[in-house]
Amino acid sequence: DAGVIQSPRHEVTEMGQEVTLRCKPISGHDYLFWYRQTMMRGLELLIYFNNNVPIDDSGMPEDRFSAKMPNASFSTLKIQPSEPRDSAVYFCASSFRVRDTEAFFGQGTRLTVV
Amino acid sequence: GENVEQHPSTLSVQEGDSAVIKCTYSDSASNYFPWYKQELGKGPQLIIDIRSNVGEKKDQRIAVTLNKTAKHFSLHITETQPEDSAVYFCAAGLTGTASKLTFGTGTRLQVTL
C-alpha cells in the first residue's frame, strides 16, 4: 500500500476563496482523521470518521470548515471562505481499530491563504 | 478531555549523547502512549508506543517509560545520531475504542556533530 495519500501537497489561495483538501486513506482502515498543525497550537484534531461516518467534529474551528467522507477510500476537508489564519499544514491520518491504535499520517497539505 | 504536556520544546545534544523527552497527561483512563517522529516536510510517523500494562519498552536505541501513578511517560534515545534530528511528539489515548489521540506540542531535537 502506498500509505495515506493527500493532495495537493501545497496550496496557495487568496482570502475568500474556497479550498478543498483531499485524502485517500490506507485500504482497509476504518478510521480517518483530519489534523491541523501550526507553530502556535501544534497538532490539533479537527474531525474523525469511523466507517465513513463523522464521529466527532468538535475540533472543527468554525462553520467555514466542513469535511466529508463519501466512501471508504476518499475524504475531503473544505474551507469556505478561507482566511489568512487558516494557513497551516493539514494532515490526514487513518488507522485500523481492531488491530492497533496506530495512526498512519499522510505527507500533509501546506495551505497558505494570502 | 485529555491534556498532554511535553517538555522541552527544543533539545540540542551532541552526537553520541542521550536525549530525553518528557510528557504528562491528565486523563487517568488513557492507556495508549505512542511517540511520533516528524521529519522536515513529512507527516508524523510512529516510532514506538507503550500500553498501560507495561512500564518500559525498548527498541534498539529508543526506549519509553511509563509511570501511570504520576501520569507521565518519557522517550529516551541513546547514542544519538544526526538522523535522529526531527520533531518528536508524544500522544495519549485509548486502545480498543475510538482511535483518538491527544498530542503534545512537540520537541525539536537537534543532534550536532
Side-chain angles (χ1 to χ4, degrees), chain B residues 2-63:
Chain B
E2 178 64 273
N3 181 49
V4 177
E5 294 190 357
Q6 183 172 349
H7 301 280
S9 57
T10 60
L11 179 60
S12 182
V13 299
Q14 284 198 326
E15 183 180 6
D17 288 349
S18 295
V20 181
I21 302 171
K22 298 181 179 182
C23 289
T24 61
Y25 62 99
S26 61
D27 189 350
S28 56
S30 291
N31 62 0
Y32 176 65
F33 308 92
W35 287 87
Y36 282 79
K37 176 183 181 182
Q38 186 178 18
E39 297 176 334
L40 196 63
K42 298 184 178 180
Q45 184 173 16
L46 180 73
I47 55 171
I48 194 167
D49 57 17
I50 190 168
R51 286 168 171 76
S52 60
N53 58 346
V54 175
E56 184 174 357
K57 183 176 178 180
K58 192 173 182 180
D59 182 4
Q60 299 183 343
R61 296 185 297 108
I62 295 174

Side-chain angles (χ1 to χ4, degrees), chain A residues 9 31 33 35 37 39 41-43 45 48 56 58 91 95-97 99-108, chain B residues 32 36 38 41-46 49 51 87 89 93-105 108:
Chain A
R9 289 295 311 277
Y31 280 85
F33 308 85
Y35 287 89
Q37 185 177 43
M39 288 293 292
R41 301 171 71 94
L43 265 170
L45 178 65
Y48 75 94
D56 184 351
S58 59
F91 287 104
S95 71
F96 184 42
R97 175 183 59 86
R99 184 179 68 196
D100 213 315
T101 315
E102 177 179 357
F104 293 81
F105 283 77
Q107 300 231 46
Chain B
Y32 176 65
Y36 282 79
Q38 186 178 18
K42 298 184 178 180
Q45 184 173 16
L46 180 73
D49 57 17
R51 286 168 171 76
V87 179
F89 292 94
L94 291 169
T95 57
T97 58
S99 302
K100 181 179 170 182
L101 298 173
T102 301
F103 284 84
T105 50
R108 182 173 297 279

